[in-house]
Amino acid sequence: MDTQNPHVAILPSPGMGHITPLLEFGKRLVTLYGFHVSFFVLTTDASAAQTHLLRSANLPQGLNIIHLPPTDVSGLFPPDAAIETRMSIIVRESVPALRSALAELARPTVLVVDVFGTDTFPIADELHIPKYVFFTSTAMLLALLMYLPTLDVEVTGEYVHLQEPLQIPGCKPIQIENMVDPLQDRKNDRYGWVLHQACRYTMAQGILVNTCEDLEPITIKALKEDPILRKIPTPSIHPVGPIIQSNTPLVSGKECLTWLDRQPAESVIYVSFGSGGTLSAEQITELAWGLELSQQPFLWVVRPPSGNEKSATYFTSGGQCGHPSEYLPDGFLTRTQGIGLVVPSWGPQREILRHKATGGFLTHCGWNSTLESIVYGVPMIAWPLFAEQKLNASTLTEELKVAVRPMVLPEKEGVRREEIERVVRLVMDSEDGKALRGRVKEVSDSVLRGLDEGGSSYNSLSNVVNEWKINLQKPIGNVE
Ligand code: UDP
C-alpha cells in the first residue's frame, strides 16, 4: 500500500441507502485523489440487493471490500424493532469485529462512518485517527439532529403535539406534519437511539453531507455559521453531494430498458418506493387504478402488500417476491399490457431515471432516489412513507419546486385513484408539468456544476481531502 497517500476506513450501516453513497464516495477518493480505501461491510441483515451491488460494482484498484463476520443480534431487539434501533444495535455489536479487522491492516488515516455508526468512534480514538460522519441525508435533517439534544431538554411532551412549527436556529421552520418518524414518539426505543447518535456527532472532526449549496443554501449556512448551532458545538460541515450510484453492470432488469427504448421521449412515469418501501393492499389497488386511469405509460417496481408496515423490505430488498398478479387488481396486467410494465421487487433505478423515455418519478423521497431524480432532471410526485421522507418531500415541493405532492398526504390516509390520476397527468401531460420539468433541469444543471472542478461540492471535498493529507504527515496522536 502507498503510505504517501491516505488510507480511509469506511463503514456504512446496512441498507442500500447507506451502502450506495458511501461506496461511491470511496470510489471517488480512490479515482480522483489516489487514496486507498478499506470498505467494511456489515453482513448482518444484508439484503440480496446489497450483495448484488457489492458483487457487481466496478471497483477501482485501491478500494478493498472487507466483509465483517455476521454478529448474533438475535434477542437484542424484537422482530418488529424500528430500522433506527436495528441499525444502531447491529453497528454497536460489530465494533469488536471492526476493531480486529482494522488491526490486521495498515493503520488508516481516518475513519468514516454514516448516520448510525458513531459507536465505532472509540476505535478511531484508540488508533489516534480522526473520525468523520458521512451523512447520507439532507442538511435539514442534520441540523435537526444537531439540535436534538437541546430540544430533548427544552421540549416537554411529544414534538408532534407542539402547537407551532419546530424552529431550528437559522433554518426554515419544520411543520409538525412533516416531523421525521423517529421523533414522532419519544417513548419508542428508536427515539433514544437517534438521540444517542445525534449526541455523538459533536465528537466527530467533521461531517460530510450528501447535499450541496444549490439544494439547501439556507440550512448549510445555518450549520456553518449560526451562532447557536456552532456553539453546540457542530463539527466542520462539508457538503460534497450529490454523490449518487454510478455505472454498475446490470445484474437484472434489462427488460426495463428494452421496454423503455420503445417508448416516446419523457413519456413514462416511473413508480418506485426505494429499497424498503411497501404499501397496504388497499393502497396498491388505488395506485394501480390511478395509473390505469391516467393512461400514461408507466414502469412500476411492485412489492407485495405489507399491512401497515411502510418499510417492510428494507432489510430484504431485491429478494424474491410473489407474482404481481397475486396482489394487483384483477385484470390489471392484461388491461395495461402495452402501456405499462410491472417489475417485481427491484429495478435498475439509475438506468431507468437516466433513460430519455422517463419523464416523471413517483417516489417515496428517499434521499438517494431524490438526488438521482434531480441529477437526471426528472420531476417527481412526492409520496413519502417513513424515516425523514416527509421532510424531504416538503423541501422538494415547497423550496426547490421540483415535485408535487398529492392533496391527501400518502402517509396519513390512503390516496384515492382519482387523485393519483390527477397528479400523474399533471406531471406527465400538462403545462404545469412542463414548467416542473424545466425547473428540475435547471436545478440539475446547477448541482452538476457544483461537482465540477471549482464548484462548491468539488471544493468542499478537496478541502477535506487536504485536511486528511495534512493529518497523514502529523505524528501519531496529534489529531485535529
Ligand atoms: N434502488 C434501485 N432499484 C430499486 C429500488 C431502489 O436501484 O428498485 C436504489 C435507488 O436507486 C437508491 C437506493 O436503492 O440508490 C435507495 O435509496 P433511497 O435513499 O432512495 O431510499 P431507501 O431505500 O434508503 O429508503
Side-chain angles (χ1 to χ4, degrees):
M1 191 189 302
D2 181 358
T3 49
Q4 293 311 302
N5 267 335
H7 165 206
V8 182
I10 300 183
L11 178 81
S13 31
M16 291 300 279
H18 303 121
I19 302 266
T20 306
L22 271 96
L23 187 61
E24 290 303 328
F25 173 63
K27 284 193 203 170
R28 219 160 272 204
L29 293 177
V30 173
T31 52
L32 293 182
Y33 301 99
F35 282 20
H36 179 84
V37 169
S38 296
F39 192 83
F40 293 92
V41 178
L42 299 171
T43 46
T44 309
D45 268 353
S47 65
Q50 175 177 319
T51 309
H52 276 310
L53 173 78
L54 293 169
R55 267 205 209 121
S56 60
N58 276 325
L59 297 181
Q61 218 183 356
L63 191 154
N64 291 334
I65 294 197
I66 299 159
H67 294 270
L68 294 177
T71 42
D72 182 11
V73 289
S74 57
L76 296 181
F77 47 77
D80 61 350
I83 290 175
E84 297 81 1
T85 304
R86 283 170 78 139
M87 297 247 230
S88 299
I89 292 178
I90 290 171
V91 174
R92 184 193 69 194
E93 294 301 305
S94 305
V95 166
L98 179 65
R99 185 179 280 116
S100 318
L102 276 169
E104 287 175 22
L105 299 176
R107 176 175 161 270
T109 322
V110 54
L111 173 69
V112 180
V113 298
D114 72 17
V115 188
F116 298 103
T118 63
D119 275 322
T120 62
F121 281 177
I123 304 181
D125 297 340
E126 289 156 23
L127 293 169
H128 303 287
I129 58 172
K131 43 208 186 281
Y132 280 69
V133 174
F134 184 104
F135 199 78
T136 48
S137 185
T138 58
M140 188 64 235
L141 179 64
L142 177 61
L144 171 60
L145 295 187
M146 291 310 308
Y147 200 54
L148 189 59
T150 312
L151 290 172
D152 187 62
V153 174
E154 287 181 355
V155 177
T156 44
E158 293 292 348
Y159 302 116
V160 285
H161 295 155
L162 290 172
Q163 297 303 312
E164 300 290 325
L166 197 63
Q167 183 64 60
I168 311 299
C171 301
K172 290 220 164 130
I174 297 174
Q175 301 302 322
I176 300 302
E177 72 212 33
N178 293 324
M179 184 58 72
V180 302
D181 278 5
L183 272 61
Q184 299 265 346
D185 174 6
R186 291 173 74 170
K187 293 177 292 306
N188 190 304
D189 264 3
R190 71 199 315 200
Y191 175 74
W193 277 111
V194 167
L195 181 63
H196 169 79
Q197 305 288 354
C199 289
R200 297 167 68 86
Y201 291 159
T202 55
M203 300 173 188
Q205 269 73 25
I207 303 185
L208 301 124
V209 198
N210 200 2
T211 188
C212 62
E213 299 282 351
D214 286 287
L215 292 180
E216 301 189 88
I218 298 173
T219 319
I220 291 173
K221 189 170 175 351
L223 280 164
K224 286 183 172 178
E225 294 173 18
D226 184 273
I228 302 174
L229 290 183
R230 296 307 314 157
K231 220 170 139 194
I232 282 176
T234 296
S236 62
I237 300 293
H238 309 276
V240 294
I243 294 185
I244 61 166
Q245 57 173 313
S246 61
N247 192 13
T248 13
L250 276 193
V251 217
S252 61
K254 285 200 181 71
E255 73 283 6
C256 299
L257 307 181
T258 320
W259 183 83
L260 283 171
D261 287 344
R262 294 199 298 269
Q263 310 305 319
E266 296 182 339
S267 68
V268 175
I269 176 93
Y270 167 54
V271 181
S272 176
F273 301 98
S275 58
T278 43
L279 304 177
S280 66
E282 297 74 31
Q283 190 61 85
I284 290 178
T285 301
E286 290 305 309
L287 182 50
W289 276 108
L291 290 172
E292 188 176 339
L293 290 169
S294 77
Q295 297 183 320
Q296 305 300 309
F298 64 84
L299 197 169
W300 182 7
V301 176
V302 290
R303 302 200 175 113
S306 62
N308 286 330
E309 175 54 76
K310 295 189 173 104
S311 56
T313 62
Y314 195 86
F315 292 102
T316 55
S317 50
Q320 296 295 325
C321 64
H323 193 275
S325 60
E326 291 165 20
Y327 49 85
L328 289 173
D330 278 349
F332 172 78
L333 290 173
T334 319
R335 288 193 303 276
T336 56
Q337 218 170 25
I339 189 160
L341 182 69
V342 166
V343 189
S345 178
W346 194 257
Q349 179 157 307
R350 169 186 184 264
E351 306 307 321
I352 293 170
L353 284 172
R354 68 198 285 266
H355 197 288
K356 63 179 183 347
T358 304
F361 183 14
L362 191 157
T363 170
H364 75 315
C365 303
W367 191 237
N368 294 283
S369 295
T370 301
L371 291 176
E372 288 156 11
S373 204
I374 290 176
V375 164
Y376 295 117
V378 179
M380 287 163 268
I381 297 172
W383 190 297
L385 292 176
F386 59 95
E388 88 295 16
Q389 294 155 10
K390 280 173 280 186
L391 198 54
N392 300 349
S394 79
T395 307
L396 294 177
T397 48
E398 289 151 33
E399 284 176 50
L400 292 170
K401 304 201 190 310
V402 293
V404 292
R405 215 165 165 174
M407 301 276 212
V408 175
L409 298 180
E411 61 279 9
K412 278 205 173 144
E413 39 193 315
V415 189
R416 305 286 301 167
R417 59 192 73 178
E418 297 77 13
E419 177 61 1
I420 297 166
E421 176 192 358
R422 186 187 72 81
V423 284
V424 171
R425 280 183 190 276
L426 188 155
V427 170
M428 303 305 295
D429 187 23
S430 78
E431 286 307 312
D432 287 349
K434 269 192 203 138
L436 204 62
R437 188 159 297 118
R439 168 81 191 129
V440 70
K441 288 196 190 321
E442 275 170 26
V443 178
S444 169
D445 287 346
S446 63
V447 301
L448 290 175
R449 271 198 303 275
L451 291 173
D452 286 343
E453 200 168 340
S456 62
S457 289
Y458 181 95
N459 289 343
S460 243
L461 183 54
S462 299
N463 289 342
V464 186
V465 161
N466 287 335
E467 276 174 28
W468 293 349
K469 283 186 174 161
I470 292 168
N471 259 327
L472 187 65
Q473 284 141 24
K474 286 188 186 152
I476 292 182
N478 223 344
V479 164
E480 274 164 24

